[in-house]
Amino acid sequence: MANLSVSLAGISLQNPTILASGIMGVSASSLKFVEEHGAGAVTMKSIGPTDRTGHKNPTVYSWGEGITNAVGLSNPGAEEGAAHLEEMKKILHIPVIASCFADTVDNIAKVAEKLLEKEPLALELNLSCPNTEDDFGCMFAMDPRVTERAVTLVKKTSGKTKIFVKLSPDASNIVTVAKAAEAAGADGITAINTLSGLIIDIHTKRPILKNTFGGLSGPAIRPVGVRAVYNLYEAVKIPIIGTGGINTGEDAIEYIMAGATAVGIGSGVYYRGIDVFGKVTEEMENFMDQNGYKSLEEMRGIAHKC
Amino acid sequence: MDKPLALPIQKIITESERVKTYVFDYDFPGEPGQFVMCWIPGFDEKPFGIIKKEGKGFRISVAAVGDSTKAMHMMEEGDLLGFRGPYGSVFVLPEKGKQIAMVAGGYGMVPLSYLAQEARKKEYKVHLFIGARNKQELLFKEWMEEIGVLVHASTDDGSEGYKGFNTDLFKSNAEKESYDKVYTVGPEIMELKIAQICWEKNIPFEVSLERYMKCGFGICGQCSVDPTGWRMCVEGPVIDGEKLKKIEEFGKYHRTASGKVEKYPWVK
């Protein structure tokens, strides 16, 4: 039997599937439900400085080849978010990755500090949500200097907690941004966040999402994610969580072969149900057994050697 | 179908001062208990229980309570609304036994009217305990009587039927009648009272539990309940009475659009 356990920046995972941020992560109970369905780790929904209701509906729908969302970073604020994180740590047996965002570099450091008080194993800095341009200006992950500043500030108080940086495929050069994050001390990269997109209903002659624009996810974006991971693997030494359009074990292996250490699953919950984590893990095992791979290590980045 | 399908309103029926029914000439799938996400272009998207009546097509009934539903009330026949779904779990009629009860508060009558219709087609004896503020707001009372449902009405102001709560009316009735199953949809305080009566008397029941929804198809986690994590858009909204015992937040609190926990006013 192939061994699917993995060490992600020193954090042990029984399998490489990680629930991506923004999916099912509103409460500890919701994440526990994901754990029961086989995830190797979970990421909480991103927490910001204050209580936000996000955008009005429609906020999420499937357009066939993928999902479009503009939830708008709804969250209960840093204070209650930290309390949720504490509860998550208490009731879950698998690693919980905290997640945060903010409007300014100083504010993200403040939110991070609040969450870091609960000593999560890892904290993901969401520097790349594409759905809040109106009130947040340009996303941090567009600019390597801003990314570097954010990571540097957060690292000052991060202690033992590993800092992952979630990057955008909309950045003009994702590799430069990742290198800046690494230089500032990031322990890992999550690639990719959703791509900004727009879908118009031709009958009502309107964009469907209330926010007009939304983040694209799902199978349609997988080649974009795999390309990003492939490029990043050659440019940085820190581990990469490959995310974007993973529905099957084969999809996950594609990311591992591009160089990912672990894989994020979000829209896959929609396409294959809540037990997508168990299904992906089993399919990875089958592929590895059939092809003589004993560990993920043997496959990691293998596509670069050809 | 998970992308909104724009459909023209075929017919608008005024049910009361606050409620209008919108009829669509489209054979949208869906069973009693399930809901659709209805996109009100330019305003919002909200879950509504569906009704199917007489042949093809489907309908939703909407009370003008907020900005988006008030906007819906301004719409005219031929205007477009977007629908995706159907979503969620369904009501299950008992296999054995032939007498069921339904307890509807306010707009809980919408999903229950569809269930009552299906139950009558299968010749179940149906007792309906419908509660509203006044006589005018007793939704679908005539329709239910026409299809042979035994209607026990109650109103806050006593303008029709029993003056007081339908939960009290149900409780006293349940002393003399024996029900194979009870179905309840309405304000959570009402559902809680019915659940307590049914648990105490050991009557099987189902409740439709409303929680704030964004995606409707199980990924946003907004409608997950404590401590099971069940999503009310996938594992719910219809929950069996035995399973309901595991949902500890039932009758106590819910989550707002931001994910904050908000206690119900009746909880001390």
Side-chain angles (χ1 to χ4, degrees):
Chain A
M1 244 344 209
N3 179 8
L4 263 75
S5 67
V6 65
S7 168
L8 175 69
I11 300 166
S12 299
L13 309 185
Q14 292 223 316
N15 73 65
T17 66
I18 302 175
L19 173 76
S21 179
I23 308 290
M24 299 280 296
V26 177
S27 66
S29 305
S30 180
L31 291 178
K32 184 76 187 168
F33 196 51
V34 173
E35 176 185 274
E36 287 163 6
H37 288 88
V42 290
T43 316
M44 74 189 297
K45 191 163 162 55
S46 295
I47 297 295
T50 51
D51 182 325
R52 266 175 79 90
T53 51
H55 300 309
K56 269 192 160 183
N57 279 341
T59 47
V60 191
Y61 66 87
S62 160
W63 45 276
E65 293 79 16
I67 291 178
T68 299
N69 93 80
V71 169
L73 295 168
S74 56
N75 82 96
E79 201 70 42
E80 191 163 327
H84 284 185
L85 174 61
E86 189 168 28
E87 202 189 336
M88 287 163 188
K89 277 186 66 186
K90 210 182 289 171
I91 69 168
L92 273 88
H93 301 301
I94 56 173
V96 177
I97 302 171
S99 176
C100 65
F101 74 93
D103 52 346
T104 66
V105 168
D106 286 337
N107 280 344
I108 203 167
K110 279 184 200 156
V111 181
E113 203 175 338
K114 195 88 217 161
L115 295 175
L116 286 164
E117 281 172 15
K118 306 298 174 192
E119 298 179 339
L121 290 172
L123 170 67
E124 185 173 274
L125 305 182
N126 180 0
L127 307 184
S128 50
C129 177
N131 303 326
T132 49
E133 284 89 344
D134 292 348
D135 41 352
F136 279 77
C138 185
M139 58 174 97
F140 296 178
M142 287 298 184
D143 186 335
R145 286 165 305 176
V146 180
T147 299
E148 191 170 352
R149 275 218 317 274
V151 177
T152 305
L153 266 183
V154 172
K155 280 295 282 186
K156 281 184 184 165
T157 56
S158 61
K160 284 182 186 165
T161 299
K162 305 294 180 187
I163 302 299
F164 299 153
V165 180
K166 190 161 187 177
L167 297 185
S168 170
D170 291 337
S172 58
N173 190 340
I174 192 171
V175 169
T176 316
V177 184
K179 278 181 157 174
E182 185 180 40
D187 300 285
I189 301 290
T190 307
I192 53 173
N193 207 322
T194 54
L195 285 83
S196 182
L198 169 60
I199 288 175
I200 294 167
D201 177 71
I202 58 171
H203 302 286
T204 55
K205 298 164 273 190
R206 286 172 180 277
I208 299 174
L209 289 172
K210 183 69 181 171
N211 184 52
T212 306
F213 308 104
L216 310 181
S217 62
I221 73 159
R222 196 172 63 248
V224 182
V226 174
R227 184 202 76 110
V229 170
Y230 190 92
N231 288 348
L232 292 171
Y233 183 72
E234 294 188 349
V236 297
K237 291 194 173 61
I238 51 179
I240 304 155
I241 302 172
T243 308
I246 295 170
N247 280 353
T248 67
E250 286 78 5
D251 299 341
I253 283 165
E254 202 182 338
Y255 269 98
I256 303 281
M257 288 186 172
T261 295
V263 292
I265 296 178
S267 303
V269 173
Y270 164 74
Y271 288 98
R272 298 190 76 194
I274 187 77
D275 50 355
V276 61
F277 304 95
K279 287 175 182 166
V280 166
T281 306
E282 197 184 322
E283 289 156 2
M284 290 180 85
E285 257 172 11
N286 290 344
F287 176 87
M288 290 166 73
D289 288 344
Q290 282 161 18
N291 292 278
Y293 295 108
K294 291 199 167 50
S295 71
L296 293 176
E297 209 97 302
E298 291 172 35
M299 297 194 298
R300 185 162 307 115
I302 206 168
H304 293 259
K305 290 171 188 153
C306 301
Chain B
M1 179 181 326
D2 296 319
K3 183 180 171 185
L5 171 73
L7 295 173
I9 301 166
Q10 193 204 2
K11 198 166 119 189
I12 300 175
I13 304 162
T14 300
E15 305 281 1
S16 71
E17 217 172 274
R18 288 159 60 89
V19 180
K20 285 185 180 182
T21 294
Y22 298 77
V23 184
F24 300 88
D25 184 22
Y26 184 86
D27 206 12
F28 210 88
E31 292 179 51
Q34 289 191 296
F35 64 93
V36 285
M37 292 301 282
C38 173
W39 174 39
I40 308 122
F43 287 90
D44 208 335
E45 186 189 43
K46 289 190 167 299
F48 289 108
I50 45 168
I51 310 167
K52 289 189 197 173
K53 206 177 159 185
E54 297 140 22
K56 280 197 163 189
F58 77 104
R59 51 182 66 197
I60 57 170
S61 291
V62 179
V65 288
D67 290 348
S68 52
T69 45
K70 279 176 186 156
M72 276 179 91
H73 273 227
M74 303 290 283
M75 294 176 93
E76 294 171 1
E77 289 171 5
D79 286 348
L80 296 173
L81 284 169
F83 290 95
R84 56 189 183 94
Y87 298 124
S89 56
V90 301
F91 288 118
V92 181
L93 289 167
E95 277 180 33
K96 286 179 187 165
K98 281 289 170 189
Q99 176 156 275
I100 58 174
M102 297 181 187
V103 188
Y107 313 115
M109 200 46 220
V110 175
L112 287 178
S113 67
Y114 185 18
L115 177 67
Q117 177 186 260
E118 295 305 297
R120 287 300 298 145
K121 278 185 195 162
K122 291 176 181 158
E123 296 176 351
Y124 284 86
K125 194 172 177 186
V126 181
H127 286 256
L128 170 67
F129 298 84
I130 176 173
R133 286 191 235 178
N134 54 48
K135 185 181 176 175
Q136 288 74 35
E137 290 184 24
L138 287 169
L139 201 56
F140 305 143
K141 184 171 168 286
E142 287 78 29
W143 172 32
M144 290 295 103
E145 283 168 345
E146 274 165 30
I147 61 172
V149 168
L150 299 158
V151 179
H152 307 262
S154 58
T155 49
D156 293 351
D157 65 357
S159 52
E160 179 150 345
Y162 174 76
K163 185 181 180 187
F165 295 127
N166 59 348
T167 47
D168 296 333
L169 196 55
F170 169 74
K171 192 175 183 181
S172 59
N173 189 276
E175 302 291 340
K176 33 185 208 265
E177 296 281 352
S178 114
Y179 295 118
D180 299 302
K181 200 160 177 181
V182 174
Y183 302 85
T184 183
V185 189
E188 201 155 318
I189 182 77
M190 183 206 84
E191 293 184 338
L192 177 66
K193 282 183 187 166
I194 298 302
Q196 283 164 342
I197 297 165
C198 290
W199 280 325
E200 197 186 311
K201 294 185 181 296
N202 236 349
I203 312 170
F205 71 100
E206 285 176 350
V207 52
S208 178
L209 192 54
E210 189 182 331
R211 286 292 178 269
Y212 186 79
M213 284 176 191
K214 283 178 181 149
C215 70
F217 49 53
I219 64 167
C220 74
Q222 188 73 40
C223 63
S224 291
V225 291
D226 287 341
T228 59
W230 295 332
R231 301 158 291 179
M232 286 305 101
C233 66
V234 178
E235 285 78 25
V238 177
I239 301 285
D240 176 82
E242 279 307 301
K243 282 190 171 170
L244 187 65
K245 284 179 185 167
K246 294 185 181 159
I247 302 178
E248 290 166 12
E249 71 172 61
F250 172 62
K252 297 189 181 79
Y253 63 85
H254 68 136
R255 282 190 159 77
T256 65
S258 74
K260 247 187 197 307
V261 167
E262 191 172 76
K263 273 190 186 173
Y264 290 127
W266 59 82
V267 180
K268 279 165 196 158

